[in-house]
Amino acid sequence: MISAKSLTKHYGDKIALDNLTLDIAPGEIFCLLGQNGAGKTTTINCFLGFTQPTSGQAFINGLDVAKHPIESKKHLAYLPEVVMLYPNLTGMENLDYFSRLAGFRHEKGELRMCLETAGLSENDFDRRVSTYSKGMRQKVGIAIALAKKAKALFLDEPTSGLDPKASNDFSNLLLELRKDGVAMLMATHDIFRAKDVANRIGIMKDGRLVNVLDNNRNILHAKEIEELYLQTV
């Protein structure tokens, strides 16, 4: 569902992404760890079409992102560190607007179901987003992904700034999406959260994927990941 083939990005003499090859199957969560500047966000931006690679290819559901920028976006959703919503609109209105932008026209009941599935309290559906916490905004972002029927989800530091309960709630949402067959690529500094949700964990350094850890049987310990991460960086 998400695939990179020798993906490379240069900014002048600086190599931001160096020959990345990666495959993420439906129903798999792949977490990228690495210091700032390691190449995590550049990787995500190449898949989103925000950054054009110097060489190599990024694919979403078999579509080359560079050759099919509009079509490939129909299959994905993006959750950045700060979800950009219209503050003067309600959660429901934001969801309706962004799902329409993606070509979907849902009945009000369907929109409410998306917000409920994403974990937003019914009392907050019709409140302005300007009154929302970060965790609530993230839930609207997940609801947008549900409304778009996204097959691939890209997340860039989504738990940064969340309190422990909100972070745990968010992880549970990702696990539910995984059950539904959504492929996810998440850039994070949160080793413990990565351990809890990821099938595989990749460690990046200087634009290269230098280590991939298999967590499919939940056999990794956060301390092991932390030690390997510190050795790498």
Side-chain angles (χ1 to χ4, degrees):
M1 183 56 65
I2 299 171
S3 182
K5 306 297 183 188
S6 302
L7 201 59
T8 300
K9 179 63 181 178
H10 294 176
Y11 291 102
D13 293 333
K14 177 176 173 53
I15 302 175
L17 196 58
D18 190 2
N19 200 39
L20 175 69
T21 294
L22 177 66
D23 290 294
I24 303 173
E28 181 179 17
I29 301 176
F30 192 105
C31 284
L32 284 177
L33 299 175
Q35 291 181 309
N36 291 333
K40 305 186 303 298
T41 297
T42 301
T43 299
I44 289 176
N45 285 343
C46 285
F47 280 107
L48 298 174
F50 295 166
T51 297
Q52 293 300 314
T54 304
S55 61
Q57 296 167 289
F59 296 91
I60 303 292
N61 199 24
L63 294 167
D64 187 323
V65 172
K67 294 179 180 178
H68 305 281
I70 304 300
E71 186 66 25
S72 63
K73 285 182 175 61
K74 293 179 181 179
H75 301 288
L76 66 84
Y78 171 49
L79 207 62
E81 182 175 353
V82 178
V83 178
M84 301 305 293
L85 301 171
Y86 287 97
N88 291 328
L89 298 182
T90 67
M92 177 74 77
E93 289 168 341
N94 269 280
L95 177 58
D96 184 37
Y97 175 72
F98 284 108
S99 60
R100 284 173 183 266
L101 276 184
F104 293 91
R105 291 183 176 272
H106 294 294
E107 297 294 330
K108 189 171 183 179
E110 294 174 300
L111 296 174
R112 295 179 71 86
M113 182 64 71
C114 289
L115 289 170
E116 183 179 333
T117 301
L120 192 70
S121 169
E122 187 175 353
N123 295 331
D124 297 319
F125 289 2
D126 296 315
R127 282 176 52 197
R128 288 187 178 185
V129 165
S130 59
T131 68
Y132 281 16
S133 66
K134 179 178 178 179
M136 293 163 67
R137 294 167 69 94
Q138 298 291 62
K139 289 175 182 177
V140 176
I142 291 290
I144 292 170
L146 293 170
K148 287 183 63 178
K149 305 184 189 309
K151 297 178 180 178
L153 179 59
F154 295 88
L155 309 102
D156 196 355
E157 299 292 349
T159 59
S160 174
L162 295 183
D163 63 48
K165 183 183 184 305
S167 185
N168 184 67
D169 290 345
F170 186 78
S171 292
N172 289 333
L173 281 174
L174 296 188
L175 293 175
E176 288 301 313
L177 289 174
R178 185 171 74 180
K179 290 179 185 177
D180 291 337
V182 179
M184 287 170 267
L185 177 62
M186 181 167 76
T188 182
H189 288 293
D190 191 337
I191 291 172
F192 298 96
R193 201 56 57 190
K195 187 268 175 195
D196 286 343
V197 302
N199 299 94
R200 288 183 293 154
I201 298 170
I203 300 176
M204 296 194 76
K205 180 179 182 181
D206 297 331
R208 295 185 65 86
L209 187 61
V210 296
N211 231 311
V212 177
L213 308 174
D214 185 351
N215 194 38
N216 272 302
R217 296 182 303 281
N218 200 32
I219 58 175
L220 292 175
H221 297 285
K223 188 64 176 175
E224 293 177 68
I225 303 169
E226 182 181 43
E227 289 174 355
L228 185 55
Y229 173 70
L230 291 174
Q231 290 172 17
T232 303
V233 301

